[in-house]
Amino acid sequence: MIYGIGIDLTDIPRITQAYQRNQRFAEKVLTEKELAVFHQTTNQKFQMEYLAGRFSAKESYSKAYGTGLGKIGLHDIEILDDSLGKPVITKQPYTGAAHVSISHTDALVTTEVIIETAEKE
């Protein structure tokens, strides 16, 4: 059964501006493993899409979880790609399964997270 669904729409230029003002912004949003992926390329366009996508997905997760950001932190959620490039939630505060979708244009990233209940009721 579905525990929660969350969606988010994030402006990539807004994330880019935050990063340009303070490059530690990436460290605030990304876990160590996500940060390693972020730094694997020098392609700034990819980096900003990745950073905005992970930020948005974590926001979506917090909405699906029902708390919003603040009660759970950005580092409480980790999203890495599997061998086919599909984003997978690899770390989360909830014990049920969680599914994520990330899509973007040049200016926007949209994400959706669905969290399933840990046990069928």
Side-chain angles (χ1 to χ4, degrees):
M1 294 187 64
I2 294 176
Y3 176 83
I5 299 172
I7 61 169
D8 187 68
L9 185 66
T10 297
D11 185 52
I12 296 172
R14 181 174 63 89
I15 297 297
T16 301
Q17 289 172 354
Y19 179 73
Q20 288 172 341
R21 280 192 306 272
N22 181 4
Q23 292 192 355
R24 295 202 60 190
F25 179 75
E27 295 171 16
K28 291 179 182 183
V29 173
L30 304 173
T31 65
E32 286 185 31
K33 290 178 182 177
E34 292 168 330
L35 202 55
V37 174
F38 177 82
H39 287 302
Q40 281 179 350
T41 182
T42 57
N43 182 322
Q44 187 179 12
K45 184 178 186 302
F46 170 80
Q47 285 182 324
M48 293 305 104
E49 290 169 351
Y50 184 85
L51 181 58
R54 279 3 187 220
F55 177 84
S56 180
K58 292 175 184 197
E59 179 71 35
S60 289
Y61 183 95
S62 72
K63 292 173 183 177
Y65 192 58
T67 61
L69 288 174
K71 294 202 178 189
I72 57 174
L74 293 167
H75 286 205
D76 293 331
I77 307 155
E78 182 173 75
I79 303 149
L80 300 171
D81 293 345
D82 69 9
S83 62
L84 298 175
K86 174 185 170 189
V88 176
I89 296 173
T90 56
K91 178 183 166 189
Q92 63 169 319
Y94 188 68
T95 57
H99 311 277
V100 62
S101 179
I102 303 171
S103 185
H104 58 79
T105 66
D106 284 337
L108 296 170
V109 61
T110 185
T111 57
E112 180 176 23
V113 170
I114 298 172
I115 299 176
E116 296 180 41
T117 54
E119 298 178 8
K120 294 191 178 200
E121 297 175 9

